[in-house]
């Protein structure tokens, strides 16, 4: 079938996986736009003729979703509805040779650090001066700010260093400039992301510089919320906590993936920390920043995990009563050091263990939310769905945490801050009414 070629190219970027991928897509789209190429994210109108799929290759489910998305786009190309299909991102970085063999209909595959090569496909030039010139895929009032790339940690289960390389920090000057640009575009909240936030600066400044970066970002006028994602617990720079306590626009929120609580598992996972050290760190964080919201993620079903290990995790959650918890089931990834272990725990058992642990957390979450009833919180209005507004407090990040259902007859602007008194609480959401 003859392809319906548009007079002018229009590029649709489909982003899979994490927020770090989303930032990559936003930077790519900003570069294309600067080269006068029509570009959109997740185009619902389907009036584009070129697709770029930014893939995830983190765990099995993510790889499967990426491959299915590529196949869907290739099928559209076969039917004449697309001219070109390009693939980039983590899956492409890790399995480029396999993909070229298995899905040759894709016009070109690119790794995670090959933005200039993608632009060459469009006869476009990479413009290094475009710091912060991103076409946001998020609502305009919040954005992610990627402060570094790659990771130097050697966690046995993790394939990220295979796909993203070694830790590479961006300069404080570039990050402040980007934050200022984002604020000028209407952004009220930035979420700092990296494979590992707390390592920031060691490569270029020869010391951990996250506290310095936070102070500089907190000075950016108009930036109302700064949120920290993906802090590594081992050798945690405690100075961060002093800055969080001192600066009003740094959210009392810390996302710190711990992955497990059993010393056996922590050692096998190469986490460079013990349960006792995590206990001390959590106590230190909570005493330094009273009322902080602690989010963590855990892995269940790692090779060799026993019932005792699972019980240790459940006791750990009951002891520390985290505000937010996410759970992944272990994915056996080739070329990681854990791949040499036998993956003997069946998928159904991994899921069952994850569910068992989440039931403990669900009860904790419900109890913590009930404590908020009657309290008033500054709330950022995120969206309107089914005739009601949904927002977040400083203790909740986008998509992964609680939402506040806002009861009001007033017309609210998305990205507006309102004070909401909580009237009802559920396992993972809150409900409240606007107060002056």
């Amino acid at each position: 079938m003859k392809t319906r070629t548009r007079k002018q190219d229009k590029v649709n970027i489909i982003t899979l996986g994490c927020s770090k991928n989303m930032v990559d897509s936003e930077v790519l789209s900003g570069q294309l736009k600067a080269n006068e190429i029509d570009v959109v994210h997740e185009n619902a109108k389907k009036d584009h003729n070129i697709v770029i799929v930014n893939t995830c290759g983190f765990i099995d489910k993510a790889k499967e979703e990426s491959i299915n998305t590529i196949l869907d786009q290739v099928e559209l190309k076969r039917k004449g509805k697309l001219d070109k299909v390009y693939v980039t991102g983590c899956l492409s970085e890790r399995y480029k040779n396999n993909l070229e063999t298995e899905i040759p209909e894709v016009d070109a595959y690119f790794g995670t650090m090959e933005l200039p090569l993608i632009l060459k496909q469009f006869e476009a030039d990479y413009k290094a001066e475009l710091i912060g010139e991103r076409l946001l895929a998020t609502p305009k009032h919040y954005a992610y700010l990627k402060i570094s790339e790659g990771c130097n940690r050697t966690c046995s289960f993790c394939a990220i260093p295979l796909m993203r390389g070694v830790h590479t920090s961006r300069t404080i000057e570039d990050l402040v400039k980007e934050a200022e640009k984002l604020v000028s575009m209407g952004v009220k909240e930035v979420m700092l992301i990296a494979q590992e936030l707390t390592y920031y600066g060691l490569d270029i400044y020869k010391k951990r510089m996250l506290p310095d970066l936070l102070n500089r970002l907190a000075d950016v006028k108009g930036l109302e919320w700064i949120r920290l994602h993906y802090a590594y617990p081992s050798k945690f720079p405690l100075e961060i906590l002093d800055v969080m306590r001192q600066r009003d626009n740094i959210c009392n929120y810390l996302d710190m993936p711990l992955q497990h609580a059993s010393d056996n598992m922590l050692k096998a996972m190469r986490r460079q920390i013990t349960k006792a050290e995590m206990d001390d760190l959590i106590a230190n964080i909570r005493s330094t920043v009273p009322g902080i919201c602690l989010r963590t993620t855990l892995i269940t079903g790692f090779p060799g995990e026993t019932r005792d290990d699972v019980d240790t995790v459940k006791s750990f959650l009951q002891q520390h009563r985290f505000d937010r918890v996410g759970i992944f089931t272990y994915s056996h990834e080739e070329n990681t050091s854990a791949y040499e272990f036998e993956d003997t725990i069946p998928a159904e058992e991994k899921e069952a263990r994850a569910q068992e642990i989440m039931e403990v957390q669900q009860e904790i979450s419900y109890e913590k939310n009930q404590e908020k009833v009657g309290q008033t919180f500054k709330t950022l209005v995120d969206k309107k769905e089914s005739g009601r507004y949904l927002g977040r407090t400083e203790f909740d990040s986008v998509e992964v945490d609680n939402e506040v259902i806002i009861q009001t007859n007033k017309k609210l602007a998305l990205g507006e801050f309102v004070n909401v008194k909580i009237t009802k609480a559920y396992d993972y959401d809150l409900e409240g009414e606007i107060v002056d």
Side-chain angles (χ1 to χ4, degrees):
M1 187 183 293
K2 191 175 188 303
T3 306
R4 280 181 328 194
T5 305
R6 290 163 45 95
K7 289 181 181 177
Q8 183 180 352
D9 288 336
K10 184 170 186 176
V11 180
N12 179 35
I13 301 178
I14 300 172
T15 305
L16 305 169
C18 67
S19 50
K20 294 179 281 292
N21 262 15
M22 185 185 290
V23 172
D24 291 344
S25 291
E26 291 174 347
V27 171
L28 168 59
S29 59
Q31 290 282 340
L32 289 170
K33 189 178 177 186
N35 280 278
E36 299 183 346
I37 294 164
D38 196 2
V39 57
V40 287
H41 293 289
E42 314 281 347
N43 185 24
K45 292 181 181 178
K46 296 183 170 52
D47 59 347
H48 53 271
N49 66 316
I50 297 173
V51 164
I52 300 173
V53 183
N54 190 354
T55 58
C56 179
F58 183 44
I59 55 176
D60 286 341
K61 288 178 183 175
K63 288 187 274 192
E64 184 179 339
E65 181 187 21
S66 292
I67 289 167
N68 287 339
T69 302
I70 295 167
L71 291 173
D72 288 344
Q73 300 309 308
V74 163
E75 179 63 12
L76 289 173
K77 180 186 171 187
R78 188 188 67 78
K79 290 179 177 177
K81 295 181 178 179
L82 291 174
D83 291 337
K84 302 275 187 183
V85 176
Y86 298 113
V87 175
T88 185
C90 291
L91 189 80
S92 185
E93 173 75 32
R94 194 173 175 194
Y95 300 107
K96 185 177 180 182
N97 292 341
N98 303 53
L99 288 167
E100 285 174 339
T101 302
E102 296 295 326
I103 315 177
E105 298 88 348
V106 168
D107 292 275
Y109 289 92
F110 303 95
T112 54
M113 309 299 285
E114 295 185 325
L115 173 57
L117 295 182
I118 300 174
L119 294 172
K120 278 189 177 179
Q121 299 291 321
F122 299 88
E123 298 179 358
D125 297 321
Y126 176 72
K127 300 180 186 295
E129 71 276 10
L130 293 180
I131 294 173
E133 296 285 348
R134 290 156 48 186
L135 184 63
L136 294 182
T138 58
K140 68 177 184 178
H141 59 276
Y142 64 79
Y144 295 96
L145 184 62
K146 184 157 64 168
I147 68 170
S148 63
E149 186 59 87
C151 187
N152 284 13
R153 302 291 184 180
T154 57
C155 301
S156 62
F157 56 84
C158 187
I160 286 175
L162 302 172
M163 299 179 283
R164 292 282 178 175
V166 298
H167 183 100
T168 308
S169 301
R170 297 177 59 199
T171 66
I172 289 177
E173 287 69 30
D174 277 2
L175 291 166
V176 170
K177 185 176 179 181
E178 182 165 351
E180 289 171 343
K181 176 64 180 177
L182 290 169
V183 169
S184 76
M185 295 161 59
V187 168
K188 307 279 185 69
E189 173 187 18
V190 296
M191 288 162 275
L192 304 194
I193 56 171
Q195 266 72 40
E196 213 275 69
L197 279 184
T198 56
Y199 202 89
Y200 175 77
L202 268 174
D203 53 327
I204 55 175
Y205 300 114
K206 308 309 174 193
K207 66 174 184 173
R208 294 174 187 266
M209 290 288 283
L210 186 57
D212 303 73
L213 173 63
L214 288 173
N215 265 319
R216 289 285 302 277
L217 290 174
D219 287 336
V220 174
K221 289 182 179 177
L223 188 50
E224 298 213 31
W225 277 357
I226 300 166
R227 189 179 300 280
L228 277 65
H229 277 286
Y230 319 127
Y232 195 88
S234 176
K235 299 182 177 63
F236 184 90
L238 295 171
E239 303 86 354
I240 293 170
L241 304 175
D242 296 323
V243 181
M244 291 179 77
R245 191 181 67 247
Q246 293 159 7
R247 305 304 298 260
D248 289 341
N249 57 348
I250 300 178
C251 295
N252 285 342
Y253 178 100
L254 183 64
D255 184 349
M256 184 170 64
L258 298 175
Q259 312 302 11
H260 218 284
S262 156
D263 281 333
N264 293 332
M265 290 291 96
L266 290 168
K267 185 175 181 181
M269 290 178 172
R270 298 187 180 178
R271 292 293 289 167
Q272 304 172 347
I273 198 168
T274 64
K275 179 183 178 296
E277 289 169 335
M278 294 196 307
D279 289 339
D280 290 345
L281 176 59
I282 293 163
N284 204 334
I285 291 170
R286 284 193 161 141
S287 65
T288 308
V289 188
I292 192 171
C293 172
L294 277 180
R295 175 179 179 81
T296 194
T297 48
L298 302 165
I299 294 173
T300 188
F302 188 87
E305 185 184 63
T306 64
R307 283 300 323 171
D308 283 348
D309 294 327
V310 175
D311 289 341
T312 298
V313 171
K314 290 159 68 176
S315 299
F316 184 72
L317 292 182
Q318 288 165 334
Q319 174 190 352
H320 290 294
R321 295 176 63 79
F322 291 93
D323 300 85
R324 316 279 181 259
V325 175
I327 297 190
F328 292 93
T329 55
Y330 172 72
S331 179
H332 206 46
E333 296 296 316
E334 59 264 42
N335 298 321
T336 61
S337 58
Y339 199 66
E340 66 191 48
F341 302 138
E342 204 172 342
D343 186 21
T344 55
I345 301 172
E348 301 79 25
E349 175 62 17
K350 291 177 185 175
E351 291 288 353
R353 292 180 185 186
Q355 182 60 33
E356 190 180 327
I357 293 166
M358 275 311 294
E359 283 172 6
V360 172
Q361 179 58 29
Q362 186 173 357
E363 188 173 332
I364 293 168
S365 180
Y366 178 77
E367 290 168 356
K368 280 183 163 278
N369 279 351
Q370 288 297 322
E371 293 168 5
K372 293 182 171 68
V373 174
Q375 296 186 54
T376 298
F377 296 95
K378 179 181 177 181
T379 303
L380 180 60
V381 182
D382 267 342
K383 56 190 172 184
K384 188 175 185 182
E385 282 182 2
S386 305
R388 62 186 188 177
Y389 292 99
L390 300 175
R392 289 176 295 115
T393 71
E394 70 171 298
F395 308 113
D396 299 288
S397 196
V398 174
E399 294 181 351
V400 293
D401 293 330
N402 288 354
E403 288 184 318
V404 180
I405 302 161
I406 303 169
Q407 303 291 356
T408 182
N409 294 321
K410 295 179 182 177
K411 186 174 182 181
L412 302 179
L414 302 188
E416 178 183 356
F417 284 96
V418 292
N419 291 318
V420 177
K421 183 177 181 180
I422 304 304
T423 55
K424 292 181 184 176
Y426 308 95
D427 291 346
Y428 299 114
D429 290 314
L430 302 167
E431 195 170 320
E433 55 195 23
I434 294 179
V435 293
D436 294 329

